[in-house]
Amino acid sequence: MDITFYTYPRCTTCRKAKKWLEEAGHTVNEVHLVDETPSAETLKTLLDRSQLDIKKFFNTSGKVYRELGLKDRLADMSEEEKLALLSSNGMLIKRPITTDGEHVTVGFKEAEFENVWKA
C-alpha cells in the first residue's frame, strides 16, 4: 500500500515510524514538512479524515510553538486561523502525519500503527 508520509527527516520519531511502515511492507512517499509544508486545504482534509481535534496537529513541544505563545492563544482562534497557522510553518506540525488517502495518523505510537497500518 502506498503511504504519504509527512515528515521532518532529522526527527528520530519520524525515522522510527518510516522504518516500521517499510518493514510492514508499505511504500512510503515522503513529504518534507518544512520544504513542502501542506496547504491549509490539505491539512483540513487530513484533519477531517483523522477525526482528531485540531490541537493534535500542533507540535506542542516544538520551539516555534513555544516562541509564538500558542499554548495560550489557540483557544481563541478559529479552525481556519489554526489551519492557516499550521500551513505557514511546517515546524508547527506534529510529525509524522501518515495517510493512505483514507486513514490518517498523527505522531507515532506503535500500537496505533499496528491497528491502522498493519498490511
Side-chain angles (χ1 to χ4, degrees):
M1 175 187 321
D2 276 8
I3 299 288
T4 301
F5 187 71
Y6 295 90
T7 184
Y8 183 63
R10 291 177 38 199
C11 168
T12 56
T13 301
C14 293
R15 289 196 298 265
K16 287 178 192 173
K18 180 182 176 193
K19 181 179 180 205
W20 189 99
L21 290 165
E22 289 174 340
E23 287 177 354
H26 296 288
T27 300
V28 178
N29 302 308
E30 290 186 66
V31 178
H32 193 296
L33 276 172
V34 176
D35 293 347
E36 301 173 66
T37 305
S39 68
E41 295 79 20
T42 298
L43 289 165
K44 173 70 171 144
T45 299
L46 292 168
L47 174 65
D48 290 345
R49 289 195 177 128
S50 75
Q51 299 181 334
L52 295 170
D53 185 288
I54 193 168
K55 186 165 175 24
K56 298 284 187 190
F57 277 72
F58 280 88
N59 179 10
T60 57
S61 62
K63 180 180 173 187
V64 177
Y65 183 89
R66 289 191 309 271
E67 287 174 350
L68 294 175
L70 293 177
K71 179 182 176 189
D72 300 320
R73 295 179 43 212
L74 280 183
D76 297 327
M77 297 173 78
S78 69
E79 182 177 277
E80 292 75 26
E81 290 170 321
K82 292 173 187 175
L83 289 167
L85 189 59
L86 285 168
S87 67
S88 73
N89 188 331
M91 293 305 282
L92 285 172
I93 300 173
K94 174 117 175 131
R95 54 193 182 253
I97 298 175
T98 309
T99 185
D100 61 1
E102 183 179 339
H103 304 94
V104 176
T105 56
V106 179
F108 175 60
K109 292 186 177 119
E110 193 164 345
E112 182 180 27
F113 268 48
E114 282 282 340
N115 186 43
V116 177
W117 304 118
K118 192 69 174 175

